[in-house]
Amino acid sequence: MPQTNVEKKKKFRSAKRMREIMTEYYIEAKTADQTGKKVAWITSGGPVEPLIVMDVIPVYPENYGAMIGASHMGGDLCAKAEALGYSTDLCSYARADIACALEDGGPIGGLPKPDMLVCCNNICGTVMKWYEIQARLFNVPLFIFDTPFCHVGFADEARRYARTQIDEYIGFLEGVCKKKFDFDQGMEVGRLSLKGQRLWQEVLDAAAHRPSPMTAFDAFFFLALIVTLRGTDKVVDFYTGLLEEMKERVSQGISAVENERYRLLWDNLPVWYRLKWLSDTFASHGACLVADTYTTAWCGSMQYIDENDFIGSMAEAYTRIYLNIGVDEMAKTIFAMIDKYEVDGLVMHSNRSCKPYSFGQYDIMRMVREKKDIPCMMLESHMVDERSFSESQALTRIDAFMEVIRQRDS
Amino acid sequence: MDILNEFIEVAGDPGAYARRIRASGRSVIGCYCSYAPEEIIHAAGLHPIRLFGTRGDSGIAEKHLQAYCCSLVREALAESLAGGLDYLDGTVFPHTCDSIQRLSDIWRLNTSHGFFADVVLPVKLTSESARQYLIDVLKRFKRELESSFGLVITKEGLGSSIRTFNTIRSCLSEIYELKSRNPGILTGSELFSIVRASMVMDREELRGKLQALLRKLREDVPGREGRGRRLMLVGNACNHPDIYDLIERSGGQVVWDDLCTGTRWFSGMIREEGDPLASIAGRLFERQVCPSKHKSPTARGEHLLAQAREHGAQGVIFLYLKFCDPHSFDYPYLKACLDGAGIPSMLLEIEDRLPPQGQILTRIETFTQMLGPETRTAFTGASQTGREG
């Protein structure tokens, strides 16, 4: 069927560029053994900037997990991990990646083998276990950046511990790469990282406009670069272009969801194998998911970064990210997003794959109802294991939820 | 044996014991984790007690926790919300797994048991900076106790507590060793009760009782070799004493464990010289590691194999609470370690209740019968019955 003009207008020009960049990136990573570059596997919330300084290619099993989910390969790979003895209740990113690493299955023929592993536990304890497994499998050095959990505030001793580990991390990289760390370049990479984060925040901010030029589903797609390549020119150039596109859309009145009537906030990681279905289902109700807590996490702790001392201040920024804080602190972030994006309802993804993100959601929901008086709903899944998702159940819930929102509107 | 009955009584109703302590004028501080710095609580003149949750009924926690949360966390919250912890004057949450981490938040926001502290331990137990951080965390915890309860914890007080806990730990270790060599001296559920009561009882009283029990057990040793295949139990917190009876009825006997409510809790001694907080930190740093902490990628496998060999385990039962991520991630690796050494293992994953008795008995029986004939002789070392790989 030919695309209508409306549909054409809705496509982002930047999407093509983004695919090109990601393809180049994965080609470079997959040919590292020929170019002599080292590859580090790193967690999604990990401090990538020192790797960029050392000219090490960062590879993200979690980004790869998202690819697996989006290509509907998660269920099969998770089942393979289960056959190896991994419980079906474990994180589906981890299960899929563990199966891929052993069998070279999955998209793009698997990830390039790591020369080192960098694990930052600011997102969960799961990554520590996951990286232990890969450290045994690949028998390569493992660095754990241990970011003390900040239930309330950031204790002095946690600050010292986190800061000291940046020095240890640099020492670790110098040992594995057998060269000195260039602190001047560290400043430059830090500057680019911060610039990229600011641009990413501005892109997300564009959704505050009514009607919103983008949805959270677009954000889930465009997120890949700020996760994988922050600290490089490429990211800055790309998000500069994407931001321009957002501004154009706003000025031309292009809305991501036709006849946007309701604006919703998404909590937790995406359901990677039902992005389009969820997007279409909400859009059929005139509802746009304008923002989400997940993609905001990659620019949510900028206030702790000292532009003139990136390497010195990054420890705090990495420790105080969205997931590494108490439930009440997370709720405050959600309140602020509800106000900023003028949200009519909250959709919580109860993600069986991510306990630290999901436990506490019921309490946040109660607080949101009390403080913000908006309807909330919950959908349950394993984020890349499509066997766990019930479309009919989700549809019933979404319909009922939208009915409540409609009634309040009238 | 009278002393043994006292342990069994306390283990059967820890709340009743804790209420008596509180009635005597001492504040009771609860915790769910083997990493809780109990020595500091004790040195403050407060009473540290391990909490286990209300078994099998966590319905009231459903308003706060999804169904894919482990039963320990759900039952812990349920017990508090249902008013079952009215004897507490405070709770302490050492940082361990993702679920306990969030339980701490939910607890802080929804319950009121007086004093509350997160003890945000390092996860990585390998570097000097982590050790220093751990010492600093303990210092903070000590200050928080002091200011909340309006007291001073002295170096002498800490030293005395350390000696008490060291004696308790060495008694428990020796009881375990005796049971390993002569499994007939205690049934599995008796040993379970001793350890559980040790997490609950006044520590001075406990020290005396354990020493008395040990004297009795040493006399009892001859002729108590016990029956059944020698098994090791590996897992998280065990809240199911029935499992020991089932194992024994199935032709097995538990001779050693790697449990949160077992050796992981009492393994390792604290240095009695030097700065007490640094010494307490030292033990937490060096002790047998919980899977939610990191020592090395292979630390737990090496430890399991060493223990299985030392205690001549003919088989290993992994007893896991469903939805326990840290243990579940380790399982394939630990099983492979055992397979490589020719030690068979089985996995029992349980939710809040044990599966129906007939079913679980059949499963354990099938496993134990696979392990060859029962050992009827006393065990004196790995060389005798250990199946070296």
Side-chain angles (χ1 to χ4, degrees):
Chain A
M1 211 164 53
Q3 282 188 329
T4 64
N5 276 340
V6 178
E7 277 168 349
K8 260 188 207 157
K9 262 167 72 184
K10 272 196 194 140
K11 289 236 159 152
F12 282 91
R13 283 195 308 274
S14 303
K16 184 165 169 275
R17 178 69 193 127
M18 159 117 173
R19 285 199 184 89
E20 285 166 8
I21 296 174
M22 287 306 283
T23 305
E24 282 165 25
Y25 157 71
Y26 271 115
I27 288 173
E28 196 195 359
K30 298 255 317 178
T31 53
D33 52 347
Q34 293 153 39
T35 55
K37 283 200 178 188
K38 290 203 184 301
V39 169
W41 284 16
I42 181 168
T43 52
S44 66
V48 65
E49 293 82 357
L51 293 176
I52 307 280
V53 173
M54 297 299 269
D55 206 21
V56 172
I57 303 174
V59 165
Y60 292 78
E62 289 158 77
N63 172 259
Y64 188 60
M67 273 167 67
I68 289 169
S71 27
H72 296 246
M73 297 168 97
D76 185 40
L77 286 166
C78 286
K80 281 183 182 156
E82 285 153 31
L84 298 168
Y86 291 98
S87 162
T88 176
D89 302 314
L90 291 170
C91 167
S92 50
Y93 272 178
R95 273 182 292 148
D97 178 63
I98 288 164
C100 275
L102 283 168
E103 308 204 1
D104 272 356
I108 65 164
L111 289 177
K113 299 218 175 334
D115 297 294
M116 69 194 92
L117 298 162
V118 179
C119 171
C120 179
N121 59 8
N122 58 354
I123 46 172
C124 58
T126 284
V127 289
M128 194 264 289
K129 302 309 293 177
W130 179 358
Y131 278 58
E132 282 180 350
I133 290 165
Q134 304 302 30
R136 287 193 294 266
L137 175 66
F138 293 110
N139 196 24
V140 293
L142 163 67
F143 183 81
I144 295 179
F145 180 30
D146 180 13
T147 48
F149 195 82
C150 307
H151 289 281
V152 281
F154 188 41
D156 291 340
E157 63 273 16
R159 186 187 305 274
R160 285 195 296 274
Y161 177 43
R163 177 64 191 86
T164 307
Q165 287 179 84
I166 296 295
D167 298 336
E168 292 167 357
Y169 179 32
I170 288 171
F172 167 85
L173 292 178
E174 287 179 335
V176 177
C177 300
K178 296 187 178 60
K179 64 175 181 188
K180 287 306 242 185
F181 185 85
D182 181 341
F183 283 87
D184 291 335
Q185 219 207 322
M187 275 286 289
E188 178 58 14
V189 169
R191 197 183 58 76
L192 289 170
S193 171
L194 189 57
K195 205 166 169 189
Q197 293 178 54
R198 283 190 184 130
L199 283 163
W200 178 239
Q201 181 69 65
E202 281 187 73
V203 167
L204 298 176
D205 286 349
H209 187 268
R210 271 179 192 270
S212 174
M214 68 179 293
T215 71
F217 299 99
D218 298 318
F220 295 150
F221 174 74
F222 288 121
L223 172 74
L225 281 195
I226 194 70
V227 175
T228 51
L229 291 168
R230 65 182 178 279
T232 65
D233 282 323
K234 265 186 194 155
V235 169
V236 171
D237 294 346
F238 175 78
Y239 287 121
T240 304
L242 182 59
L243 183 59
E244 266 168 37
E245 210 180 337
M246 289 299 168
K247 286 177 179 163
E248 277 169 34
R249 290 175 155 239
V250 167
S251 68
Q252 293 168 14
I254 298 174
S255 61
V257 168
E258 219 169 327
N259 303 319
E260 173 194 301
R261 288 193 65 184
Y262 308 112
R263 299 163 62 81
L264 306 174
L265 175 66
W266 176 274
D267 179 57
N268 211 310
L269 286 95
V271 183
W272 287 110
Y273 46 84
R274 281 294 184 283
L275 291 177
K276 182 154 185 349
W277 182 82
L278 282 165
S279 172
D280 291 349
T281 304
F282 280 107
S284 74
H285 290 278
C288 177
L289 286 144
V290 290
D292 70 280
T293 55
Y294 173 61
T295 58
T296 308
W298 277 270
C299 49
S301 59
M302 278 190 292
Q303 73 262 36
Y304 306 118
I305 299 175
D306 175 354
E307 204 166 349
N308 299 312
D309 180 21
F310 185 86
I311 298 296
S313 59
M314 65 190 283
E316 177 165 2
Y318 276 110
T319 305
R320 303 182 77 174
I321 67 152
Y322 183 66
L323 261 187
N324 209 41
I325 55 177
V327 163
D328 36 348
E329 287 296 310
M330 289 166 86
K332 280 184 204 159
T333 307
I334 289 182
F335 297 161
M337 291 182 82
I338 289 170
D339 293 341
K340 175 174 174 180
Y341 295 98
E342 298 180 343
V343 163
D344 304 301
L346 171 63
V347 183
M348 298 196 111
H349 172 203
S350 172
N351 187 354
R352 298 178 75 101
S353 285
C354 192
K355 295 182 173 83
Y357 215 145
S358 304
F359 295 164
Q361 277 179 322
Y362 285 128
D363 280 84
I364 293 177
M365 212 183 243
R366 178 182 49 75
M367 292 182 232
V368 166
R369 285 194 180 116
E370 284 169 12
K371 290 247 160 67
K372 295 291 164 190
D373 189 32
I374 58 168
C376 306
M377 71 164 291
M378 200 173 258
L379 290 171
E380 190 175 298
S381 95
H382 257 306
M383 61 197 169
V384 300
D385 185 350
E386 69 271 13
R387 297 169 304 169
S388 67
F389 191 73
S390 161
E391 219 167 70
S392 60
Q393 194 186 64
L395 191 61
T396 311
R397 289 200 182 169
I398 292 170
D399 286 347
F401 173 67
M402 290 313 303
E403 185 56 35
V404 173
I405 290 192
R406 252 192 305 279
Q407 281 170 11
R408 287 169 70 111
D409 185 42
S410 56
Chain B
M1 205 191 301
D2 285 348
I3 305 174
L4 196 51
N5 285 332
E6 285 182 52
F7 283 117
I8 292 167
E9 195 185 315
V10 174
D13 191 356
Y17 188 92
R19 284 186 189 90
R20 283 205 299 278
I21 293 257
R22 196 173 193 230
S24 75
R26 205 142 31 115
S27 297
V28 178
I29 307 292
C31 63
Y32 291 95
C33 176
S34 66
Y35 280 99
E38 294 178 31
E39 302 84 1
I40 303 176
I41 300 170
H42 180 259
L46 312 170
H47 179 67
I49 181 172
R50 184 72 163 270
L51 305 171
F52 308 98
T54 41
R55 224 176 79 185
D57 181 16
S58 61
I60 195 171
E62 275 169 21
K63 282 197 311 194
H64 302 275
L65 287 163
Q66 284 92 329
Y68 51 90
C69 177
C70 80
S71 59
L72 175 74
V73 167
R74 290 161 60 82
E75 290 170 356
L77 185 63
E79 186 171 27
S80 166
L81 295 175
L85 298 178
D86 55 354
Y87 54 82
L88 285 186
D89 297 285
T91 29
V92 176
F93 283 87
H95 185 271
T96 50
C97 66
D98 291 336
S99 302
I100 288 278
Q101 166 186 300
R102 285 298 175 213
L103 175 65
S104 151
D105 283 338
I106 294 168
W107 193 275
R108 175 168 53 80
L109 295 169
N110 294 284
T111 73
S112 46
H113 298 296
F115 177 78
F116 176 91
D118 283 305
V119 181
V120 189
L121 304 166
V123 172
K124 170 173 78 172
L125 303 177
T126 52
S127 64
E128 265 319 297
S129 63
R131 185 191 290 269
Q132 184 54 51
Y133 170 64
L134 176 51
I135 295 170
D136 291 343
V137 165
L138 296 183
K139 279 184 190 158
R140 169 180 295 274
F141 177 58
K142 172 175 167 284
R143 281 199 307 274
E144 286 175 353
L145 279 177
E146 287 174 331
S147 70
S148 290
F149 289 92
L151 46 84
V152 177
I153 301 170
T154 63
K155 197 177 168 192
E156 293 67 36
L158 282 168
S160 156
S161 284
I162 287 172
R163 287 189 293 279
T164 301
F165 277 83
N166 273 349
T167 308
I168 291 168
R169 291 190 179 111
S170 86
C171 284
L172 286 169
S173 297
E174 193 180 336
I175 293 170
Y176 259 58
E177 291 287 350
L178 279 177
K179 159 104 173 135
S180 172
R181 284 197 294 275
N182 310 273
I185 56 166
L186 291 164
T187 65
S189 76
E190 282 167 347
L191 185 57
F192 170 92
S193 294
I194 292 166
V195 176
R196 195 175 167 100
S198 299
M199 298 171 155
V200 171
M201 284 168 77
D202 169 74
R203 301 307 194 265
E204 266 74 33
E205 185 191 350
L206 172 67
R207 180 176 53 185
K209 294 248 156 81
L210 283 175
Q211 286 168 328
L213 177 68
L214 249 182
R215 280 193 295 274
K216 188 91 181 59
L217 289 176
R218 286 191 198 114
E219 289 163 17
D220 269 11
V221 160
R224 296 285 213 117
E225 61 270 11
R227 295 180 155 201
R229 286 86 170 176
R230 301 178 60 84
L231 301 176
M232 202 174 146
L233 205 53
V234 177
N236 20 38
C238 177
N239 212 3
H240 296 277
D242 305 351
I243 195 77
Y244 294 93
D245 295 335
L246 292 168
I247 289 171
E248 281 156 20
R249 280 168 58 193
S250 311
Q253 51 188 352
V254 178
V255 295
W256 202 255
D257 70 40
D258 183 348
L259 294 174
C260 179
T261 45
T263 60
R264 280 210 301 284
W265 174 63
F266 63 75
S267 78
M269 302 295 273
I270 302 176
R271 232 165 59 98
E272 295 186 2
E273 304 79 40
D275 173 54
L277 289 183
S279 299
I280 294 169
R283 173 182 169 270
L284 293 176
F285 214 73
E286 304 297 336
R287 59 155 257 212
Q288 189 178 327
V289 75
C290 158
S292 67
K293 302 265 171 237
H294 173 81
K295 251 190 184 165
S296 84
T298 53
R300 290 202 70 228
E302 286 156 6
H303 180 82
L304 173 59
L305 271 189
Q307 296 291 291
R309 284 180 170 142
E310 186 179 335
H311 297 283
Q314 293 167 275
V316 170
I317 296 181
F318 292 98
L319 183 70
Y320 287 177
L321 293 178
K322 192 168 166 59
F323 305 116
C324 176
D325 289 353
H327 279 282
S328 297
F329 270 116
D330 273 354
Y331 168 70
Y333 162 63
L334 295 181
K335 180 180 185 301
C337 286
L338 293 171
D339 287 350
I343 301 170
S345 64
M346 75 175 288
L347 170 62
L348 275 180
E349 206 179 41
I350 49 178
E351 297 203 49
D352 48 352
R353 293 183 178 88
L354 287 179
Q357 224 184 67
Q359 191 194 329
I360 196 168
L361 256 179
T362 310
R363 286 195 59 198
I364 301 174
E365 260 172 19
T366 310
F367 177 68
T368 50
Q369 282 166 10
M370 195 178 85
L371 303 177
E374 285 185 8
T375 6
R376 278 166 191 267
T377 49
F379 177 72
T380 49
S383 55
Q384 210 168 50
T385 49
R387 291 158 52 123
E388 302 288 331

